[in-house]
Amino acid sequence: YNNIQTKQTNEKQPLTPCPQTPPDLNGTMRLLVPAQETLEEVAQQLSWLRLLEGGHQEPLDCRARYKIAIIVPYRDRLSNLCTFLLNMHPFLTKQQLDYSIFIVEQFDDGLFNRAMLMNVGFNEALKLRDFDCFFFHDVDLIPENDRNIYSCPDQPRHMSVAIDKFNYRLPYVDLFGGVIGMSRNHFQLVNGFSNMFWGWGGEDDDMASRVKAHDLNITRYTPNVARYHMLTHAKQKANPKRYEKLYSGRKRFKTDGLNNLEYRVKSLKQLPLFTYLLVDLTGRR
Ligand code: NGS
C-alpha cells in the first residue's frame, strides 16, 4: 500500500517547490550511535529511509530547490564515518533536500591533504551531476540542531560556528573550517582550495582569504542554531610550513587550486550510503 502511494505522489508532476523552511523541525537532534561500527550495520539501521544508490536522497512530495553535494575528506576513521552517516542521512532527509554524500579517501598514508581532497570531490561530483552547491564537511562533526539548514547559501557560509569541544564558542572570527557551504559558482570563482597544504592546519584560513579577496562575505547562522558535536579521534600531525604557505597564499590564488589539480581516481563506487572515491594525490609535499 505504501509503495502505491509513493508511486502516485511521484507521478503527480510537476511537484510544487519545497518550502524554504521545511516543516517539522524542532530545534534538536538526538545523537544516534551505531549498534556496530560497520557500514553494513549502519545501512541496516537506515533502511527505513529508502536511500538511493550512492548515498543520494530527494524529497518525495515536493520539488527540492537545489541539488546539493556533501563532500567529506576521509582517511582511516571508520568509527567516525559510521556515526556521521547514521546521523547525517536522517538529518538531511528531514530538511527535504536533494543531496548526495561523497566520501573522498586519500590513498597513500603520507601527510593528509584535506583541501585537495575537497577539490577532487568537487571536480568528480560535477562529472556525475550538475550540483548547485557544495558542503565541505569534516567527518567528525555532527549537527545538533535540525534548524541548521543545509540549503544553498547566497554567500559562502561557515556552518560549524559553535562546537561542543570548544564550549560552543567560535575560536576566532575568521575561522572557515569544519563545515562550510558554497555555491558551485563561488567555489569556481575562488579557484577552489589551495592544493599545497599537506598536514593539519591553514588550508581553511587560506580559503577564507580567497573568499575575501573575491569580495565575497563569510556568513553564519546564529550560534544557537549552528551547533555541532565533535566526535573523538587521534590528532593529526600539524603542517610545520602552514604559516609560510598561508602568508604567501595570495600570490597563488589564480594558479593553485581547481585549475592545477592533479590526481588519479583509483576507485569510484556507488555504495548504498555514499559515493566513494579513492584517490591518489600527486604534487610536491
Ligand atoms: C587554526 C588553524 C586552522 C584550524 C583552526 C581551528 O589555528 O586550520 O585553528 O582548529 N590555522 C592554522 O594553523 C594556520 S581547531 O581548533 O578546530 O582544532 O581550522
Side-chain angles (χ1 to χ4, degrees):
Y1 176 67
N2 248 338
N3 280 344
I4 297 168
Q5 259 200 338
T6 308
K7 197 148 183 271
Q8 277 172 347
T9 321
N10 272 340
E11 277 165 8
K12 243 195 277 148
Q13 293 289 348
L15 292 171
T16 52
C18 297
Q20 292 277 16
T21 307
D24 305 327
L25 302 182
N26 61 18
T28 59
M29 275 286 291
R30 200 166 56 89
L31 181 74
L32 302 172
V33 180
Q36 277 172 37
E37 289 175 342
T38 66
L39 295 174
E40 294 74 19
E41 174 61 29
V42 175
Q44 191 59 41
Q45 278 186 260
L46 291 177
S47 54
W48 61 277
L49 272 181
R50 295 168 185 275
L51 293 169
L52 304 172
E53 275 262 286
H56 173 63
Q57 180 74 300
E58 46 191 61
L60 276 180
D61 44 16
C62 59
R63 182 161 42 83
R65 290 164 188 266
Y66 307 104
K67 298 187 279 297
I68 293 163
I70 313 281
I71 310 288
V72 183
Y74 178 81
R75 189 175 65 190
D76 194 25
R77 285 194 182 169
L78 181 61
S79 157
N80 286 183
L81 180 59
C82 289
T83 307
F84 176 81
L85 295 164
L86 184 63
N87 286 275
M88 288 310 285
H89 277 301
F91 170 84
L92 297 167
T93 300
K94 200 174 176 198
Q95 295 190 351
Q96 297 187 313
L97 302 170
D98 172 323
Y99 71 88
S100 303
I101 295 184
F102 292 84
I103 303 296
V104 191
E105 181 170 17
Q106 181 169 330
F107 174 70
D108 71 85
D109 52 13
L111 290 170
F112 191 63
N113 193 328
R114 174 179 181 270
M116 198 168 170
L117 292 169
M118 295 192 284
N119 282 343
V120 173
F122 176 87
N123 222 20
E124 291 298 315
L126 283 179
K127 291 182 187 168
L128 300 174
R129 201 165 175 226
D130 59 337
F131 290 101
D132 299 303
C133 67
F134 290 78
F135 285 86
F136 300 98
H137 212 301
D138 282 356
V139 73
D140 60 354
L141 288 172
I142 313 293
E144 292 185 351
N145 186 327
D146 61 6
R147 297 201 173 106
N148 184 7
I149 294 172
Y150 281 49
S151 79
C152 287
D154 293 335
Q155 287 286 322
R157 175 169 288 140
H158 181 229
M159 304 292 288
S160 48
V161 178
I163 302 178
D164 58 355
K165 192 175 170 209
F166 309 115
N167 298 318
Y168 296 106
R169 269 193 287 265
L170 191 66
Y172 55 98
V173 72
D174 286 330
L175 179 64
F176 199 43
V179 185
I180 64 167
M182 283 177 83
S183 69
R184 180 186 63 224
N185 291 345
H186 284 162
F187 194 73
Q188 269 158 348
L189 178 72
V190 305
N191 196 18
F193 284 95
S194 163
N195 298 311
M196 294 179 66
F197 288 82
W198 297 91
W200 185 90
E203 80 296 338
D204 48 350
D205 301 315
D206 181 83
M207 176 50 101
S209 311
R210 288 176 182 236
V211 163
K212 278 180 264 172
H214 289 82
D215 288 328
L216 302 173
N217 297 312
I218 294 177
T219 59
R220 294 191 174 99
Y221 292 137
T222 61
N224 62 320
V225 167
R227 285 165 74 89
Y228 285 78
H229 168 59
M230 188 181 271
L231 303 171
T232 52
H233 51 73
K235 264 200 148 177
Q236 272 197 69
K237 234 203 268 159
N239 170 4
K241 295 209 180 113
R242 64 194 188 282
Y243 288 103
E244 201 183 296
K245 291 267 152 57
L246 189 56
Y247 297 142
S248 61
R250 206 189 166 96
K251 288 190 292 206
R252 292 186 303 269
F253 292 166
K254 284 200 171 65
T255 52
D256 163 28
L258 287 176
N259 67 355
N260 76 335
L261 181 62
E262 275 185 52
Y263 60 94
R264 269 205 329 257
V265 175
K266 293 187 77 80
S267 174
L268 165 60
K269 286 186 202 155
Q270 305 282 332
L271 300 179
L273 298 176
F274 52 88
T275 300
Y276 174 67
L277 281 154
L278 180 64
V279 293
D280 210 352
L281 302 179
T282 49
R284 213 152 60 90
R285 317 233 154 166

